[in-house]
Amino acid sequence: MLSIEWTSQEAAGAGHHLLAVAVASSDSGPAIERRFGAPLARAAQAARFRGEPGEKFSFLREHQGEPQQVLLLGTGASAPSAAAVRALAFDAVRAGSAAGVAEVVLDLRALGSQSEPVHFGELVAQGLQLGTYRYDRYLSEAKRKPSTVQRVRVLGEAASGEGTSRGQIVAASVARARDLVNGPANLVTPSYLADVAREIADNLADRGVRLTVLEREDCEKLGMGCYLAVARGSAQRPKFIHLQYTPKGNSKGRVCLVGKGVTFDSGGLSLKPSDAMMDMKMDMGGAAAVLSALEAAAKLGVPWEVHAIVPATENMIGGDAYRLGDVLTASNGKTVEINNTDAEGRLTLADALVYAGKLQPTYLFDFATLTGACIVALGPHCAGVMSRDDELANLFTAASQRVGEEMWRLPLPEPLKEQLKSPIADMRNTGERYGGAITAGLFLSEFTAGQRWVHVDIAGPAMVRKPFGVCDEGGSGFPVATILEFLSRA
Ligand code: BES
Ligand code: MN
Ligand code: ZN
């Protein structure tokens, strides 16, 4: 963990450090001149630094007899968004590490006083802490470049410091989710996910966390014919993971978080082409998010009973793999004719949603890297939110905006259900190409009858292909921060 300290007083860093300064576009030139002198103001101007969002300008100077690396970070004319605040803090730590310093001083005074200082402090702490994140497990010692930054002093409203520990707890869980997504499928198997859930439950037993893992035989008894069909092609044993947190005091209700946990998606007999298969270790991004979020929820002591439910399996080919044309029976008795074995996620989720529904949750969510169509619709950084419950969908997307995770609502039009009709079973598992994200949502809705339910398709944002915001290429930990914001405020 970084040591993060907030202060409203100007204080130089000790020894060789990096000074990162937020600069608003309204006051860019004069602010630089006042603080660093006219020559540097001219240099910044020549480099076209105007304090616009995302602009950076760095230089080295001597300050009180020590070398001081200075980084100016543009923040634009108006108050920066939550995503921009996190990114600003992230960039400061990254620059500190690039400069090889142990201490960063981040001057946020240009942002003025905050209407919600604690929340602001939380976002800053998230960004700072995530700035130290690396996935270097498989790099030999010589190739690792762990962050050199150990301490950050933030200049700003001191009250914001109250958000620090929250932000760091959230960031630690985001980092856990990233590790799980970045972990290759030969490491992160269904059993590995169950082991991680065990570790979380053991560490937080005194905080009210406990774990149940259902084996294949247990799932057979519950009639989970859809989930188990997907698992049949794999040499890895399926693990149906149920992690639960019960708050100490009064609880506001029960929230079930179902996460897609396909640790590798080859497509099954509807085999994916090699390029499309390449990233499919990430197909457990939903599982990573719900397990990690539950861990932080327990540490934060959120006032909800929380259940993280993960039907973990691989989707593989093999002599016993499920076939096209097979008819499966889900645990709610509905039958499904398979017309594409690559639409496996919704099959695993069907039984998990039925299982969650039996817990009679106040709110039911699922998070899934479900469809390429959702990435086509909303781009790589935005999740698709589908629900018939306007109030709950609004609560959830409001939480996402507060933490800077992008989400957009898609409709669930009844007429598109037409696409899921089968001549011999209650439904088929896939529709046509157009509306692919929505027909997947409609399929899931067949297993959430009577629930206040929101489906979140995270196929795009679960993994980023090039650095974005507070994330390098790889697993993002999306939408851990939103889930925790929701559980803390709803
Ligand atoms: N895991 C994939 C969805 C996915 C695609 C996630 C790309 C991340 C990036 C899912 O299981 C899948 O294969 N979906 C199919 C559905 C189709 C067969 C109806 C898809 O999107 O092509
Ligand atoms: Mn698939
Ligand atoms: Zn999949």
Side-chain angles (χ1 to χ4, degrees), residues 260 265-267 272 280 283 315 341-345 370:
K260 175 174 172 182
D265 182 10
S266 73
K272 285 183 186 294
M280 282 302 136
D283 212 13
N315 184 27
T341 63
D342 198 10
E344 83 297 339
L370 205 59

Side-chain angles (χ1 to χ4, degrees), residues 22-29 32 44 48-56 72-77:
V23 178
S25 56
S26 52
D27 185 40
S28 171
I32 299 169
R48 299 208 161 72
F49 179 86
R50 298 184 205 86
E52 295 299 336
E55 284 182 0
K56 290 176 198 161
L72 307 181
L73 294 162
T75 66

Side-chain angles (χ1 to χ4, degrees), residues 25-270:
S25 56
S26 52
D27 185 40
S28 171
I32 299 169
E33 181 166 342
R34 276 196 306 276
R35 183 138 177 199
F36 301 106
L40 275 165
R42 281 201 300 279
Q45 191 183 28
R48 299 208 161 72
F49 179 86
R50 298 184 205 86
E52 295 299 336
E55 284 182 0
K56 290 176 198 161
F57 180 68
S58 64
F59 54 90
L60 183 66
R61 67 165 184 170
E62 195 192 305
H63 183 64
Q64 298 176 347
E66 297 280 350
Q68 186 186 50
Q69 198 87 35
V70 182
L71 172 68
L72 307 181
L73 294 162
T75 66
S78 46
S81 67
V85 169
R86 292 206 304 177
L88 195 80
F90 176 90
D91 288 345
V93 169
R94 277 309 168 86
S97 196
V101 302
E103 178 164 339
V104 169
V105 176
L106 174 57
D107 186 343
L108 296 178
R109 289 173 298 182
L111 297 180
S113 73
Q114 297 294 321
S115 56
E116 290 187 82
V118 178
H119 183 65
F120 177 77
E122 180 187 337
L123 295 173
V124 171
Q126 279 183 30
L128 293 173
Q129 188 63 49
L130 289 173
T132 67
Y133 178 79
R134 305 281 189 281
Y135 188 72
D136 57 9
R137 179 185 178 123
Y138 290 102
L139 289 175
S140 44
E141 197 65 50
K143 294 203 169 121
R144 288 185 187 174
K145 285 199 185 105
S147 179
T148 60
V149 178
Q150 309 289 331
R151 292 180 305 282
V152 180
R153 181 127 25 109
V154 190
L155 298 182
E157 239 182 300
S160 301
E162 283 174 38
T164 296
S165 86
R166 258 192 77 85
Q168 288 190 292
I169 289 172
V170 173
S173 278
V174 170
R176 185 193 279 288
R178 287 183 181 182
D179 280 346
L180 288 172
V181 171
N182 288 330
N186 60 331
L187 174 74
V188 182
T189 58
S191 301
Y192 185 93
L193 286 180
D195 290 346
V196 167
R198 167 61 57 205
E199 182 192 316
I200 293 171
D202 286 350
N203 289 344
L204 294 168
D206 60 338
R207 294 290 190 116
V209 177
R210 57 192 185 82
L211 174 70
T212 312
V213 178
L214 307 187
E215 302 294 332
R216 191 194 307 267
E217 301 68 37
D218 305 314
C219 296
E220 273 164 7
K221 282 184 197 128
L222 292 170
M224 296 186 177
C226 286
Y227 165 54
L228 290 176
V230 175
R232 278 203 341 235
S234 172
Q236 297 288 335
R237 277 186 295 276
K239 300 280 172 181
F240 190 99
I241 302 163
H242 178 179
L243 190 62
Q244 168 175 355
Y245 156 71
T246 312
K248 287 273 138 61
N250 282 345
S251 149
K252 290 186 177 177
R254 184 175 294 140
V255 177
C256 284
L257 308 170
V258 173
K260 175 174 172 182
V262 174
T263 59
F264 188 70
D265 182 10
S266 73
L269 290 174
S270 310

